[in-house]
Amino acid sequence: MNSEMYVGLDIGTTSIKVIVAENVKGQMNVLGLGNERSDGIDRGIIVDIDKASESIRRAVDQAEEKSGIQINDVIVGIPANQLKIEPCSGMVAISDQSREISNADVKNVTVSAMIKNLPPEREIVDTLPDEFVVDGFDGIKDPRGMVGVRLEMKGRIITGPKTIIHNIRKSVIQAGLNPSSIINSPLAQGKTILDDGEQDFGTILIDMGGGQTTASIIHDHQLKFTTVDSEGGEYITKDISVVLNTSVESSEKVKRDYGFADALEASESNEFPIEVVGQSQPLKLSEKYLAEIIQARIDQIFNRIAKSLSGISALDLPGGIVLTGGVAALPGISELAADRFNSNVRVYIPNQMGLRHPSFSLPLSLVTYRANMSEIQVLVRSSLEGKIVSEDSNDVEDDSFIQNDVSDDDMQSDEVYDKNKNADSKNKKGIMSKFKSGAKNKWRGFYKDFFE
């Protein structure tokens, strides 16, 4: 697969999504899509590697057929469950006699920064460089080609449970694929879904998947915090099934076709038929009654998320809230969230043809994030992914893959819905006009003190 072709793999609780995209002059062109029902995954966790790998294979086969491209390497998202963000730093002496900093020196200082006394059950998922320091001169983004005696790197590492990483990797490999990159899902989404102002001032991104809901904070263009609620769209479907005494399949269908997140927006007079177990004739149900069932579960999720975010004053961030994931397709979701969080809210929907639904935000974010990585980010990440850097050249060999012993998956999922009605929030507001430079510095200073 050439360097400009990328395949994103989203292993979700309710569905597996695969996107094949080509990066042409900075523009991502989607060539094919695979979307299959998940098996072997419960509440975001891979509980059966064999079934999960079969689901992955089916989705990949579908994407191959639609794109006409054989898929070997995939970029896989890893969920936020039990992820930790920690500062890291490293320092090395410049190896070349000319003292000119090369790729090998960057790789060496990255390896030095990753040396941590991690618990045996955890593994480094990603290394994010913030700055390089050459002989005491800081704030350098790319030190290659500079001359110096000492090179330092300051940044952050993201670590996760080995079980989660191993089960993801094992399932992908068993499906006949190479997980060339395993990328933190909230990081990829935050860097691609949020605009520059939202990333700068600080914004909460809430991904409402099928098996769980993840809230992430992006501030100063960095992932600062994540929290996971173990309920998602699958629980809404089960609520409908239990309350109405109907099958899960029927519940999923009425949720997609007639569901509202906000009962205030649903109609009492609009009715639809639903098959009820033990009755020969369908039951007539109003949109409003269905919405009350849906809203009750979403309220519980929002309340728990709000509690986690309130503890760190994150709800005061000027960027507000951005919703995505399959549940975010429910009409009225932005209005309900704006009321519950007392914040401006918008819903993110990809604008690519065939992907105009929030459930496709994660796989699209994975390929976009990977395609937009700078050379220095790719080089730093190569140290993590086991790619080879020649000591006497500046070449990075791109086809080596680290075989660490790691394990178990907890992937975010995106529920598949057929309607997008009212999914775009009416509350989308430009934060740049609201918060000028003075306010910006005030917020940055406050959250810098808290997060750092």
Side-chain angles (χ1 to χ4, degrees):
M1 186 174 296
N2 78 53
S3 60
E4 293 300 303
M5 196 75 66
Y6 302 94
V7 181
L9 172 61
D10 170 19
I11 306 174
T13 302
T14 55
S15 65
I16 307 288
K17 295 181 180 67
V18 179
I19 285 179
V20 182
E22 185 178 18
N23 184 25
V24 181
K25 297 180 179 179
Q27 179 67 39
M28 295 303 294
N29 297 327
V30 177
L31 305 179
L33 169 69
N35 188 6
E36 286 287 333
R37 178 78 186 174
S38 297
D39 287 318
I41 303 168
D42 181 37
R43 300 180 186 182
I45 299 172
I46 291 182
V47 293
D48 189 318
I49 290 175
D50 291 339
K51 288 184 177 179
S53 64
E54 290 170 5
S55 299
I56 293 169
R57 188 67 251 175
R58 290 197 303 269
V60 168
D61 288 344
Q62 191 181 121
E64 285 182 332
E65 183 179 350
K66 291 182 178 179
S67 65
I69 294 170
Q70 182 177 350
I71 296 172
N72 297 311
D73 299 333
V74 292
I75 302 158
V76 191
I78 184 170
N81 301 65
Q82 300 181 46
L83 289 182
K84 292 182 180 178
I85 306 169
E86 305 174 42
C88 68
S89 62
M91 182 176 66
V92 295
I94 306 305
S95 57
D96 194 275
Q97 287 187 349
S98 69
R99 302 302 184 190
E100 185 171 307
I101 298 170
S102 67
N103 280 1
D105 294 314
V106 173
K107 178 184 172 73
N108 290 338
V109 77
T110 301
V111 171
S112 171
M114 289 192 300
I115 296 174
K116 285 271 186 180
N117 291 321
L118 291 178
E121 70 276 8
R122 298 191 69 79
E123 178 183 343
I124 295 176
V125 176
D126 206 348
T127 305
L128 309 172
D130 292 331
E131 66 170 347
F132 293 89
V133 182
V134 179
D135 293 348
F137 293 95
D138 59 6
I140 298 170
K141 295 301 181 184
D142 187 346
R144 293 175 299 169
M146 297 181 179
V147 173
V149 175
R150 185 178 71 252
L151 175 65
E152 300 174 64
M153 188 191 86
K154 297 178 182 179
R156 290 154 293 138
I157 60 170
I158 300 177
T159 66
K162 284 189 175 182
T163 11
I164 289 177
I165 304 168
H166 173 77
N167 282 11
I168 292 173
R169 189 174 282 147
K170 179 78 171 179
S171 298
V172 172
I173 293 173
Q174 193 163 305
L177 304 163
N178 172 34
S180 59
S181 291
I182 296 180
I183 293 176
N184 172 236
S185 297
L187 178 65
Q189 288 180 302
K191 288 291 190 178
T192 55
I193 289 175
L194 305 183
D195 63 33
D196 186 72
E198 288 169 333
Q199 292 187 49
D200 192 10
F201 282 90
T203 302
I204 300 165
L205 175 64
I206 301 180
D207 186 342
M208 306 187 72
Q212 61 188 32
T213 301
T214 303
S216 311
I217 296 173
I218 302 290
H219 181 248
D220 269 346
H221 295 270
Q222 296 178 359
L223 177 65
K224 298 287 191 177
F225 174 84
T226 62
T227 183
V228 177
D229 186 84
S230 59
E231 293 182 2
E234 196 174 45
Y235 288 79
I236 298 172
T237 303
K238 290 177 181 177
D239 289 344
I240 297 170
S241 176
V242 171
V243 173
L244 301 181
N245 197 29
T246 187
S247 67
V248 171
E249 292 76 14
S250 179
S251 300
E252 180 66 27
K253 186 177 187 306
V254 298
K255 181 178 71 174
R256 290 189 215 165
D257 295 344
Y258 305 103
F260 282 80
D262 190 345
L264 293 176
E265 295 199 4
S267 170
E268 185 75 65
S269 58
N270 288 347
E271 294 185 333
F272 56 90
I274 183 169
E275 300 289 337
V276 176
V277 175
Q279 293 192 22
S280 57
Q281 296 297 322
L283 176 71
K284 285 283 187 179
L285 190 71
S286 72
E287 283 183 353
K288 190 170 188 64
Y289 185 65
L290 176 64
E292 288 171 350
I293 300 171
I294 294 171
Q295 183 182 321
R297 178 63 67 174
I298 295 177
D299 272 338
Q300 290 183 11
I301 295 171
F302 281 168
N303 288 339
R304 288 190 296 266
I305 292 290
K307 186 176 180 180
S308 296
L309 296 174
S310 295
I312 56 171
S313 301
L315 292 173
D316 296 327
L317 285 167
I321 292 172
V322 176
L323 300 176
T324 192
V327 179
L330 284 169
I333 190 77
S334 59
E335 290 78 10
L336 184 65
D339 181 70
R340 298 302 186 263
F341 292 107
N342 191 29
S343 178
N344 58 300
V345 177
R346 73 176 176 93
V347 174
Y348 170 77
I349 300 175
N351 59 14
Q352 282 82 352
M353 187 68 70
L355 300 179
R356 290 174 182 166
H357 192 279
S359 64
F360 293 110
S361 69
L362 177 53
L364 185 61
S365 293
L366 292 171
V367 294
T368 305
Y369 176 77
R370 180 60 183 83
N372 290 336
M373 286 175 66
S374 66
E375 286 185 18
I376 199 70
Q377 288 174 317
V378 173
L379 182 58
V380 167
R381 190 171 176 86
S382 74
S383 304
L384 178 68
E385 295 174 350
K387 293 167 186 175
I388 302 165
V389 176
S390 170
E391 289 296 332
D392 51 4
S393 77
N394 281 342
D395 296 329
V396 180
E397 298 180 16
D398 200 24
D399 53 8
S400 174
F401 163 59
I402 193 166
Q403 297 282 351
N404 283 349
D405 180 22
V406 263
S407 160
D408 210 336
D409 167 297
D410 203 50
M411 219 66 195
Q412 288 171 268
S413 67
D414 292 309
E415 193 122 28
V416 181
Y417 289 82
D418 291 333
K419 70 177 181 180
N420 296 334
K421 166 171 90 165
N422 294 333
D424 262 322
S425 170
K426 299 175 184 176
N427 296 317
K428 183 176 181 180
K429 298 177 182 176
I431 64 173
M432 296 299 287
S433 60
K434 232 176 144 183
F435 295 89
K436 299 187 177 175
S437 59
K440 171 181 174 180
N441 291 332
K442 169 191 168 187
W443 285 110
R444 173 173 287 145
F446 177 82
Y447 285 100
K448 181 175 185 292
D449 291 341
F450 172 79
F451 288 115
E452 295 180 1

